[in-house]
Amino acid sequence: MTAWFAGWGFRAAAQQASFADCWAQACALPAPGLCTFALLESRRQTPAWAALHDWAAQAVLHAVFQAWPESALAQIDTPSLSPRLVQRFATGSVSEALALHAARSHAGSPAPEITLVLRRVVSADRQATLAIATWPSPILSTGVSS
């Protein structure tokens, strides 16, 4: 079973359509078995948090939400690089850093190789971003657990 760790970056004005647009861009990927939505703790105080939560309740039935402080993202290397985000958050992409951080926090030991299966995508209205990290499934092609 594949676990997805979806990092969400968004502005306070993001709407359900912003999140739906990002998710639609991710739909080319194989469907996840488990999905954790990672976001910044500070975003829980915005109207967009309610929009994300309401959209997810309709679109992704078994998503679990985890919020992280901004300090958790500092110095996480990301493929995308925004100078503005480096200055504000000390990382190049909030959504990519959240996805990687959430996956690493759930990986256990020994840690599997964590990869971004979806680099940062941006909603058409530029109000939300999404990146998805995961690691290889322990199920072999025969369907037997390793």
Side-chain angles (χ1 to χ4, degrees), residues 13-30:
Q15 302 290 313
Q16 287 188 30
S18 308
F19 303 112
D21 184 39
C22 288
W23 195 252
Q25 294 178 60
C27 283
L29 298 172

Side-chain angles (χ1 to χ4, degrees), residues 2 23 39 42 48 51 57 64 95-96 101 111 139 141-142:
T2 301
W23 195 252
L39 64 141
S42 61
V64 175
S95 57
E96 289 175 354
H101 181 71
I139 305 297
S141 59
T142 61

Side-chain angles (χ1 to χ4, degrees), residues 31-127:
L34 303 171
C35 195
T36 298
F37 284 179
L39 64 141
L40 290 175
E41 180 66 44
S42 61
R43 293 298 184 220
R44 286 186 152 185
Q45 310 308 315
T46 67
W49 157 247
L52 173 60
H53 193 267
D54 292 347
W55 167 80
Q58 298 170 33
V60 186
L61 298 178
H62 300 292
V64 175
F65 287 87
Q66 282 192 310
W68 303 93
E70 291 179 8
S71 61
L73 306 185
Q75 311 309 317
I76 294 178
D77 289 328
T78 61
S80 299
L81 184 63
S82 164
R84 180 181 65 82
L85 294 178
V86 169
Q87 186 174 27
R88 178 153 182 220
F89 298 103
T91 191
S93 167
V94 169
S95 57
E96 289 175 354
L98 280 165
L100 291 167
H101 181 71
R104 289 175 185 152
S105 72
H106 289 270
S109 184
E113 182 179 338
I114 295 167
T115 59
L116 282 173
V117 294
L118 179 70
R119 287 180 57 175
R120 181 180 67 96
V121 295
V122 182
S123 63
D125 64 5
R126 307 208 43 86
Q127 297 297 303

